[in-house]
Amino acid sequence: MSEHQKTLRQRDLVLFTVSAILLPDTLALVASAGVSSITWWLVLAILFLVPFGLIAAELGCTYPEQGGIYAWVRDAFEGRWASRVTWCYWINVALWLPSIYVLGIGILNQLFNLGLGLEVQIAMAAAVIWLTVGVNIVTLSVGKWVPNIGGIVKAVLFLGIIYGAWRYISGHELANPINAKTLTPSWGEGLQYVPAIIYGMLGFELVSAGADEMRNPERDVPRAIAYSGAVVLILYVIGTVAVLAAVPVDEIDLVEGLVDTLRLFFADLSSANAIVLFLGCATLFSVFASGVAWALGGNRAAAEAAHEGELPRWFGIEARSNGTPIGAAVALGVASTIALISFSLLAGDNQDLFLSLFAFSGVLFLLPYVGMVLAFLRMRTKDGNRHRPFRVPGGSNVAVLCSCLCIGALLMAIFLFMYVPGEGPAWPIIGGVALMLVLGEVLIRFAERARLSA
């Protein structure tokens, strides 16, 4: 293994985390649930976001180990369970990248009126996947600037959307009435959007996958989680309010509708085209920055598992000069390209393709976090005397309460990804998840045999 360079400062951690978590597609998806989604954001912030942030902060500064979530689950439950968690974490990124890049290419198509067919959009999404692989291979001192700049760009984008909506509604009636009745959470149709909100609150642990590349993780990780968590929640909530105030729920389009919405917001300005172009390009870069951030974290976790013989060796191939995970990055590119092409054969348009990949990857994305929270509880008892620069306040009872809230929310989200209220089980998603879990088990057993025979 190559020695890792200490390149990540507190500023980098904050921007990296904001870049990973703050997504325009999550904003659109949640807003399409209606006005009650505003209340869901606030309720789940209390019941999930805050407890999860506290847990991630304690783990990140107490166990600043390369690999992040893999290392924490390994220390708590040993290698095989850690490998299962890491496989789900990594394969989710491989399945999720095509979904957000399809969204990005759809926005590009709409922004410049290119008239691209679905096949061309898929080919362009594949090219962006491999550009992401390239950024993952260069040294982190260079690659970190994509998510760093992405964090700033996303804040500007969300503020632009909020400002545009405020301008628009100042001269128009609210597109959706916002009152006590509409804000009341629905346990029917609205419940199916809860997984998207929980999905949009995850990622605080991501930067800990590169702990060996941080300058001072004990000090910087808790602060970065607090700052980035506040930024993400504020922008998501105000952004959701802004979109719902200006755009009727049934007109919110998850892919190409963003450009039309921006044009609507700034139509009365002489500089409308320039503003829409700027914010549209900001959206494109923010989508790419999110993909890079998650790939950086997922590949480092997979590489660490491979170094310990828990995943096949090719995941652990590193650049000799800077220690970047070449093997995991290239494997990610291959898996993402295969997923993109496979799902494109079943999708009718780019929005169908985005939603199919999003739901499929969602379950695999949430499963590792159940393992992470359980690892937190286990290490509180197994390694209770260890110095913790930051710990969940309130003692053991509060730590257990936070863990139960997080696990309950995660299991509910997993269930709602696989069972749609009013429609029944989503068998393609259930079958796809089962297939990925079996494939992961095969790879883990293959790696174990290779390690034992070496």
Side-chain angles (χ1 to χ4, degrees):
M1 293 174 57
S2 303
E3 184 177 350
H4 297 100
Q5 302 172 16
K6 303 287 186 180
T7 60
L8 296 177
R9 306 183 184 193
Q10 181 176 300
R11 173 203 63 198
D12 300 320
L13 305 189
V14 173
L15 292 173
F16 189 102
T17 305
V18 170
S19 181
I21 299 176
L22 200 62
L23 295 168
D25 58 296
T26 300
L27 177 66
L29 183 59
V30 174
S32 64
V35 175
S36 65
S37 62
I38 299 169
T39 305
W40 279 118
W41 272 119
L42 298 175
V43 169
L44 290 173
I46 297 171
L47 298 181
F48 180 76
L49 179 65
V50 172
F52 179 74
L54 293 173
I55 289 172
E58 179 172 326
L59 285 172
C61 70
T62 306
Y63 303 97
E65 302 178 62
Q66 191 75 0
I69 193 169
Y70 165 78
W72 302 334
V73 177
R74 177 203 62 203
D75 293 345
F77 302 113
E78 300 186 350
R80 182 175 291 181
W81 279 108
S83 300
R84 289 167 176 153
V85 163
T86 303
W87 165 253
C88 288
Y89 201 72
W90 182 87
I91 195 62
N92 152 72
V93 177
L95 295 170
W96 176 74
L97 283 183
S99 73
I100 61 166
Y101 289 162
V102 163
L103 177 140
I105 299 301
I107 293 172
L108 176 71
N109 187 38
Q110 183 78 354
L111 184 63
F112 293 99
N113 296 313
L114 300 178
L116 302 175
L118 183 59
E119 295 80 7
V120 176
Q121 293 185 49
I122 290 168
M124 294 177 69
V128 181
I129 287 171
W130 285 97
L131 179 59
T132 303
V133 171
V135 175
N136 270 246
I137 291 175
V138 301
T139 177
L140 192 57
S141 61
V142 176
K144 72 178 184 180
W145 287 106
V146 173
N148 277 9
I149 297 172
I152 298 172
V153 168
K154 286 186 178 187
V156 171
L157 170 63
F158 271 64
L159 291 173
I161 292 172
I162 293 166
Y163 173 68
W166 175 80
R167 288 189 71 261
Y168 181 79
I169 62 176
S170 64
H172 300 78
E173 294 184 358
L174 294 180
N176 303 284
I178 300 177
N179 51 48
K181 181 178 180 180
T182 58
L183 285 169
T184 302
S186 169
W187 289 97
E189 182 180 351
L191 194 62
Q192 64 183 294
Y193 292 93
V194 169
I197 297 177
I198 294 175
Y199 192 107
M201 291 178 170
L202 292 170
F204 293 113
E205 83 302 330
L206 186 65
V207 75
S208 292
D212 284 354
E213 293 151 285
M214 296 180 193
R215 295 193 174 187
N216 191 341
E218 291 85 358
R219 180 198 66 193
D220 293 343
V221 167
R223 293 181 182 180
I225 289 175
Y227 298 152
S228 60
V231 170
V232 166
L233 180 61
I234 290 170
L235 290 179
Y236 266 142
V237 171
I238 298 178
T240 302
V241 172
V243 171
L244 287 168
V247 184
V249 170
D250 56 2
E251 294 181 15
I252 297 174
D253 189 305
L254 298 181
V255 179
E256 297 179 354
L258 177 63
V259 176
D260 289 334
T261 300
L262 292 174
R263 287 172 177 161
L264 175 69
F265 288 169
F266 299 102
D268 60 324
L269 295 178
S270 59
S271 56
N273 290 335
I275 294 173
V276 171
L277 181 63
F278 172 77
L279 293 177
C281 290
T283 304
L284 296 177
F285 186 82
S286 72
V287 169
F288 178 61
S290 294
V292 169
W294 281 101
L296 286 168
N299 287 334
R300 276 160 172 73
E304 192 65 19
H307 293 154
E308 301 195 11
E310 301 293 349
L311 282 178
R313 293 176 183 174
W314 69 75
F315 283 100
I317 298 173
E318 292 184 339
R320 294 182 179 179
S321 59
N322 54 37
T324 54
I326 294 176
V330 172
L332 184 80
V334 172
S336 294
T337 304
I338 292 173
L340 174 65
I341 295 172
S342 299
F343 275 85
S344 68
L345 298 176
L346 304 174
D349 55 33
N350 51 13
Q351 181 160 310
D352 285 343
L353 181 55
F354 167 77
L355 290 173
S356 298
L357 286 164
F358 178 82
F360 180 36
S361 67
V363 176
L364 295 168
F365 176 62
L366 295 173
L367 285 172
Y369 291 100
V370 177
M372 172 183 155
V373 176
L374 291 174
F376 164 75
L377 281 177
R378 173 65 173 155
M379 295 308 288
R380 269 294 190 101
T381 56
K382 180 180 178 181
D383 193 26
N385 294 325
R386 186 184 183 99
H387 170 63
R388 284 166 164 76
F390 171 86
R391 66 167 56 232
V392 175
S396 298
N397 290 336
V398 175
V400 171
L401 175 61
C402 288
S403 301
C404 291
L405 288 172
C406 289
I407 291 174
L410 290 166
L411 292 178
M412 178 178 68
I414 290 169
F415 173 77
L416 291 172
F417 267 129
M418 297 190 296
Y419 183 93
V420 181
E423 298 181 17
W427 291 114
I429 295 174
I430 295 172
V433 169
L435 179 62
M436 290 299 101
L437 293 178
V438 170
L439 176 59
E441 201 67 22
V442 170
L443 291 175
I444 291 168
R445 298 303 175 95
F446 173 81
E448 288 180 350
R449 290 196 189 96
R451 185 180 72 246
L452 294 174
S453 63

